[in-house]
């Protein structure tokens, strides 16, 4: 090794040590963060030290997670990594495809064997326990199925569509399946899904509402009867947080409002709070989770009392897709009971009986229906 090689090696080693030293000092100097706005999640905190935790190995793994979460400028490093991957041609990050025209699209993962059968058994048991309750099931295809033309070339297609077909075939006889794929598919100009978020847009929810009305015999409100207002154009959604892609443009959120809105009373049962609006406008001030403008996010039980005098009552068992869908239903029912099984611990059949509810809509997107184990406890 000649003299120049030794000098170069020494310089590289000094630079590396300086890098480690500077960032080590910065990590020690900066206060730990509890929440990442860009990733939209709680960050790992310093784990408590104990001999038991050290011997079991949990302290080491927890400490590694803590260091990773609290590393200085973490959000920028994530963005730089995904930018580098994108330059190299990579089109997937953390289960999210980088699609055409700036779309981020969540990959659909098939369910584990036997999961769908267990969920169908729970739905059958609930159906048998509530024979007077008319039931409608809407499992919404995600952008991975609806926007296949936006997917990168290598993306696997057809898996989610097959899963939806299995659900439809497996439902107990007498339960109405509301297929909204034809209403959403092939309408790129309608913008039925957000680009940075996994939810459908309000327009997508409206198109599905029209389809539900056909099945339930409801007369829908025409789109021309709504005042469509853009309430933000700075919405970075869940897929932006999850993927690490930072070069994409934000979404807009629209509300379909009536010029003479019906009077309603919304009660969040677990929190004991009431309001006269389906929209929590304060949530628009958040950097993330602006979708929580609809029904103030997810809650175990929400009761909506309307000014309708028809005494028709609806139970909606749902995930967050329903939050932007439910406003279209308030002019058709005197009461709507909204249940999210992930946070609801009471007897659902008893709720139906107590309030003499006659109609039920189960509304999930395909991914959440696959992921959510609480559906198996429908009758518990």
């Amino acid at each position: 090794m000649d003299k120049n090689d030794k000098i170069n090696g020494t310089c590289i080693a000094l630079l590396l040590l300086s890098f480690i030293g500077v960032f080590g000092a910065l990590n020690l100097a900066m206060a730990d963060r509890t929440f990442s706005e860009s990733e939209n999640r709680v960050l790992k905190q310093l784990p408590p030290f104990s001999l038991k935790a050290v011997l079991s190995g949990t302290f080491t793994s927890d400490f590694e997670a803590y260091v990773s979460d609290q590393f200085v400028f973490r959000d920028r490093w994530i963005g730089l990594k995904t930018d580098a991957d994108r330059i190299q041609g990579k089109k997937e990050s953390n289960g999210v495809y980088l699609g055409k025209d700036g779309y981020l699209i969540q990959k659909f993962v098939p369910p584990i064997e036997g999961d769908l059968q267990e969920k169908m058994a729970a739905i059958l048991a609930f159906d048998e326990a509530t024979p007077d309750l008319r039931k409608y099931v809407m499992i919404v295809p995600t952008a991975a199925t609806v926007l296949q033309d936006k997917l990168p070339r290598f993306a696997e297609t057809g898996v989610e569509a097959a899963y939806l077909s299995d659900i439809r075939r497996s439902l107990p006889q007498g339960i109405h399946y509301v297929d909204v794929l034809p209403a959403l598919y092939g309408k790129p100009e309608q913008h039925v899904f957000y680009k940075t978020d996994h939810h459908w847009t309000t327009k997508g929810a409206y198109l599905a509402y029209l389809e539900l009305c056909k099945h339930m015999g409801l007369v829908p409100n025409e789109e021309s009867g709504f005042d469509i207002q853009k309430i933000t154009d700075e919405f970075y959604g869940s897929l932006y947080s999850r993927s690490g892609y930072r070069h994409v443009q934000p979404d807009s959120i629209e509300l379909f409002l009536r010029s003479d809105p019906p009077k309603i009373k919304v009660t969040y049962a677990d929190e004991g709070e009431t309001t006269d609006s389906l929209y929590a406008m304060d949530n628009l001030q958040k950097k993330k989770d602006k979708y929580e403008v609809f029904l103030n996010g997810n809650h175990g039980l929400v009761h909506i009392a309307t000014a309708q005098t028809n005494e028709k009552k609806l139970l909606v068992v749902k995930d967050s897709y329903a939050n932007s869908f439910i406003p279209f239903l308030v002019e058709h029912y005197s009461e709507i009971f909204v249940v999210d099984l992930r946070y609801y611990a009471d007897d659902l059949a008893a709720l139906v009986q107590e309030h003499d509810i006659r109609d039920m809509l189960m509304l999930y997107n395909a991914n959440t229906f696959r992921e959510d184990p609480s559906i198996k406890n429908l009758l518990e």
Side-chain angles (χ1 to χ4, degrees):
M1 181 182 294
D2 61 27
K3 185 176 181 180
N4 288 334
D5 288 338
K6 289 182 179 180
I7 293 173
N8 289 336
T10 301
C11 290
I12 292 172
L14 288 173
L15 285 172
L16 180 60
L17 289 172
S18 298
F19 178 87
I20 294 172
V22 168
F23 279 92
L26 286 173
N27 277 317
L28 290 172
M30 296 185 69
D32 288 350
R33 297 184 301 155
T34 59
F35 188 80
S36 169
E37 288 284 357
S38 62
E39 295 179 79
N40 194 27
R41 68 178 182 87
V42 175
L43 297 176
K44 189 74 174 179
Q45 300 301 296
L46 181 64
F49 179 85
S50 71
L51 182 60
K52 181 179 180 181
V54 172
L55 293 176
S56 67
T58 58
F59 179 82
T60 302
S61 58
D62 288 346
F63 186 78
E64 288 177 354
Y66 160 74
V67 172
S68 175
D69 275 8
Q70 299 297 337
F71 193 82
V72 65
F73 308 135
R74 172 185 169 83
D75 294 341
R76 293 187 180 181
W77 290 117
I78 291 174
L80 286 171
K81 179 185 180 301
T82 53
D83 285 344
D85 289 343
R86 182 165 55 91
I87 291 170
Q88 294 174 29
K90 187 176 179 180
K91 297 290 186 178
E92 181 185 346
S93 175
N94 201 21
V96 178
Y97 292 124
L98 176 59
K100 301 174 185 176
D101 301 326
Y103 273 94
L104 303 180
I105 300 176
Q106 184 176 358
K107 183 179 182 179
F108 182 81
V109 179
I112 61 174
E113 186 176 353
D115 179 77
L116 180 58
Q117 290 76 8
E118 292 179 20
K119 288 173 179 172
M120 289 299 114
I123 292 173
L124 174 60
F126 182 77
D127 184 44
E128 292 175 344
T130 54
D132 297 327
L133 183 66
R134 291 181 292 269
K135 302 174 184 72
Y136 302 83
V137 171
M138 181 189 295
I139 308 299
V140 183
T142 69
T145 293
V146 177
L147 303 179
Q148 292 188 26
D149 61 319
K150 304 296 183 185
L151 289 169
R153 290 181 180 178
F154 68 87
E156 187 175 9
T157 60
V159 179
E160 182 180 287
Y163 181 62
L164 292 172
S165 295
D166 289 343
I167 293 173
R168 185 171 191 169
R169 288 194 300 267
S170 303
L171 281 173
Q173 189 174 10
I175 295 182
H176 305 273
Y177 184 81
V178 183
D179 183 6
V180 297
L181 178 57
L184 300 174
Y185 190 79
K187 297 181 174 63
E189 74 286 352
Q190 301 270 25
H191 192 50
V192 296
F193 283 95
Y194 295 111
K195 290 187 175 183
T196 69
D197 192 71
H198 71 285
H199 293 101
W200 55 11
T201 62
T202 318
K203 181 55 182 281
Y206 176 74
L207 295 175
Y209 156 74
L210 296 179
E211 191 64 29
L212 179 68
C213 287
K214 297 175 185 177
H215 287 259
M216 300 185 78
L218 304 175
V219 179
N221 291 308
E222 298 295 330
E223 186 173 350
S224 59
F226 291 97
D227 177 18
I228 302 176
Q229 296 184 10
K230 181 191 295 185
I231 55 173
T232 183
D233 57 5
E234 298 179 347
F235 174 40
Y236 288 99
S238 60
L239 301 182
Y240 174 90
S241 301
R242 177 174 176 174
S243 68
Y245 291 120
R246 296 292 180 259
H247 68 286
V248 295
Q249 297 299 308
D251 282 296
S252 298
I253 296 178
E254 294 180 335
L255 301 184
F256 280 44
L257 303 173
R258 304 289 276 175
S259 56
D260 183 22
K263 293 182 179 180
I264 60 171
K265 179 181 178 182
V266 182
T267 302
Y268 297 97
D270 294 341
E271 296 80 3
E273 298 176 358
T274 61
T275 179
D276 61 356
S277 176
L278 294 164
Y279 306 107
M281 303 301 286
D282 288 347
N283 287 331
L284 294 175
Q285 305 306 315
K286 296 181 177 181
K287 185 175 179 180
K288 295 295 174 60
D289 280 348
K290 284 182 170 62
Y291 184 81
E292 289 190 352
V293 68
F294 299 105
L295 270 182
N296 199 23
N298 296 316
H299 303 267
L301 174 63
V302 180
H303 176 247
I304 304 170
T306 77
Q308 300 299 318
T309 58
N310 55 23
E311 297 186 359
K312 292 174 62 178
K313 301 177 183 180
L314 174 69
L315 169 65
V316 180
V317 177
K318 61 89 186 181
D319 69 5
S320 55
Y321 264 51
N323 296 354
S324 59
F325 184 92
I326 288 169
F328 295 114
L329 300 174
V330 296
E331 293 185 55
H332 299 288
Y333 291 91
S334 62
E335 294 182 71
I336 301 176
F337 297 82
V338 184
V339 170
D340 192 321
L341 294 173
R342 294 170 293 186
Y343 314 105
Y344 186 74
D346 293 331
D347 188 330
L348 194 62
L351 180 73
V352 170
Q353 184 175 6
E354 177 185 355
H355 296 281
D356 194 26
I357 303 172
R358 296 294 178 173
D359 290 311
M360 170 184 168
L361 171 65
M362 175 176 276
L363 196 166
Y364 285 80
N365 79 81
N367 265 318
T368 307
F369 189 85
R370 174 189 61 80
E371 294 170 353
D372 185 9
S374 66
I375 297 170
K376 301 174 186 178
N377 303 325
L378 194 60
L379 196 58
E380 296 180 8

